């Protein structure tokens, strides 16, 4: 299998996936359910903790999870309280704090990592717990961003709680919400007041991914709203722009999902390869996967996107 047509990428390995792995969490109201996926072979495996988009679950995003796992990562996927599988009522007292529950769920996974790794016999001894990355899509990108250092700006203009986690060494934000305030649509301002991220404090190395056709009902701006996590933060950061990409970036949320408005296997393949390459180079600085992948993308006769770094 080729990386961007030029750089080498090893053949996919066999993988194993176990779900649900259940943990009782006081105050959550329902057990935390998690999927663990890992390659059958290999040692010193790095970890990705993945935050799904609004309404999804531990069963989502198989095109990404399967690729990452088949190429050497252990992937951990929680089901958050907003999942359609749980049917939480808008009137539920937990609903206004769903954004916070999400961040706490991700931290809870890291706090109880041994329990989750033990779900696959022998896996714990094959994992490098010092190399942990976090990835999220859409609402999950806000969740992940907060773990990387982003903070919610309150109605008074002051920064909210720092919920970053030093155990996470690198991150990827797929279609992350931009500035709040006047940039939000009236609907978003009414229903999602927490959608007001401040990215200046997001100092962890991060790749921001967006599609230049991602017109969102959440903002009065255009698709460039989704670049704010890159433009408003300090380095080291990278930006992957996908030409023609909409909010599901060609179909990353599942193999058979019907909500994908821009179905494009080549776009999904680019997200797979480039996210894998970014995390490889961030977690293993001697690995040139990211520079190879970026060069292959930019040098293509018909590039599907572009990469920027700062």
């Amino acid at each position: 299998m080729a990386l961007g047509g030029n750089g080498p990428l090893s053949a996919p390995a066999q993988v194993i996936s176990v779900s649900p792995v259940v943990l009782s969490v006081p105050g959550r109201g329902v057990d935390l359910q998690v999927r663990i996926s890992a390659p059958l072979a290999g040692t010193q495996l790095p970890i990705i903790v993945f935050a799904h988009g609004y309404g999804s679950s531990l069963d989502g995003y198989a095109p990404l999870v399967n690729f990452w796992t088949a190429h050497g990562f252990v992937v951990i996927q929680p089901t958050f309280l907003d999942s359609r599988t749980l049917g939480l009522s808008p009137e539920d007292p937990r609903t206004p704090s769903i954004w916070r529950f999400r961040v706490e769920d991700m931290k809870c996974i890291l706090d109880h990592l041994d329990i989750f790794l033990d779900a696959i016999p022998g896996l714990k001894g094959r994992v490098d717990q010092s190399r942990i990355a976090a990835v999220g899509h859409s609402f999950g990108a806000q969740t992940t961003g907060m773990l990387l250092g982003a903070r919610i700006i309150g109605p008074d203009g002051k920064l909210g709680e720092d919920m970053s986690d030093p155990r996470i060494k690198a991150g990827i934000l797929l279609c992350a919400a931009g500035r709040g305030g006047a940039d939000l649509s009236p609907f978003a301002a009414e229903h999602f007041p927490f959608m007001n991220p401040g990215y200046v404090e997001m100092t962890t190395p991060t790749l921001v991914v967006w599609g230049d056709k991602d017109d969102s009902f959440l903002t009065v701006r255009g698709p460039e709203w989704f670049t704010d996590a890159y433009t408003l933060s300090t380095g080291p950061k990278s930006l992957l722009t996908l030409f023609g990409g909409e909010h599901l970036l060609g179909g990353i949320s599942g193999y058979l999902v019907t909500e994908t408005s821009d179905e494009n296997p080549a776009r999904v393949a680019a997200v797979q390869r480039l996210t894998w390459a970014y995390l490889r180079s961030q977690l293993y600085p001697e690995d040139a996967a990211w520079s190879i992948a970026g060069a292959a993308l930019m040098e293509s006769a018909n590039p599907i996107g572009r990469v920027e770094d700062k």
Side-chain angles (χ1 to χ4, degrees):
M1 182 181 296
L3 175 59
N6 292 327
L9 183 65
S10 61
Q14 290 183 311
V15 305
I16 185 171
S17 183
V18 176
S19 71
V21 183
V22 179
L23 182 69
S24 178
V25 180
R28 194 174 185 270
V30 63
D31 290 342
L32 176 60
Q33 297 190 31
V34 170
R35 175 183 294 275
I36 312 292
S37 303
L40 282 177
T43 60
Q44 297 296 299
L45 302 170
I47 298 170
I48 295 172
V49 185
F50 183 83
H52 66 68
Y54 184 86
S56 189
S57 72
L58 57 78
D59 293 318
Y61 298 89
L64 295 183
V65 173
N66 291 348
F67 185 91
W68 295 330
T69 308
H71 292 92
F73 283 87
V74 174
V75 183
I76 305 176
Q77 299 171 264
T79 290
F80 298 122
L81 289 178
D82 55 87
S83 173
R84 288 185 293 270
T85 63
L86 298 180
L88 200 69
S89 166
E91 288 74 38
D92 190 287
R94 292 168 291 177
T95 297
S97 298
I98 276 181
W99 66 271
R100 178 179 291 275
F101 278 104
R102 281 172 151 261
V103 179
E104 291 174 349
D105 285 347
M106 297 281 274
K107 288 176 172 284
C108 183
I109 288 171
L110 299 180
D111 291 342
H112 299 89
L113 197 53
D114 285 350
I115 292 175
F116 292 111
L117 296 177
D118 279 338
I120 297 178
L123 177 60
K124 186 166 62 178
R126 298 194 291 121
V127 169
D128 183 348
Q129 296 192 27
S130 71
R131 301 183 197 267
I132 300 175
V135 183
H137 174 247
S138 194
F139 195 5
Q142 175 166 321
T143 303
T144 299
M146 297 189 71
L147 294 167
L148 303 174
R151 295 163 70 175
I152 291 179
I153 301 172
D156 58 359
K158 295 181 179 179
L159 287 176
E161 179 183 355
D162 179 2
M163 301 182 75
S164 61
D165 196 308
R167 291 171 292 187
I168 297 172
K169 307 305 181 186
I172 297 177
L173 306 184
L174 304 164
C175 308
R179 286 181 302 194
D183 288 355
L184 293 180
S185 67
F187 175 87
E190 178 183 356
H191 293 90
F192 308 115
F194 54 82
M195 194 176 289
N196 194 14
Y199 287 114
V200 174
E201 290 74 24
M202 190 176 74
T203 57
T204 305
T206 304
L207 169 64
V208 177
V209 183
W210 73 297
D212 65 5
K213 299 298 182 183
D214 190 358
D215 285 302
S216 175
F217 69 97
L218 298 173
T219 180
V220 296
R221 289 167 56 193
E224 76 279 356
W225 185 61
F226 291 100
T227 67
D228 283 356
Y230 176 77
T231 58
L232 301 180
S233 63
T234 56
K237 300 290 184 296
S238 297
L239 181 70
L240 169 60
T241 301
L242 292 166
F243 304 147
E246 298 181 15
H247 200 60
L248 292 179
L249 303 175
I252 62 170
S253 61
Y255 291 117
L256 300 174
V257 291
T258 58
E259 67 264 27
T260 302
S261 58
D262 65 328
E263 184 175 1
N264 187 316
R267 190 171 296 130
V268 173
V271 177
Q272 291 171 331
R273 294 192 301 265
L274 286 151
T275 55
W276 171 86
Y278 180 82
L279 293 181
R280 280 292 310 180
S281 292
Q282 286 299 323
L283 297 178
Y284 303 90
E286 71 282 1
D287 193 320
W290 176 241
S291 60
I292 293 171
L297 178 73
M298 303 288 278
E299 294 167 5
S300 170
N302 295 292
I304 199 168
R306 67 173 179 269
V307 168
E308 303 169 48
D309 297 292
K310 69 176 184 179

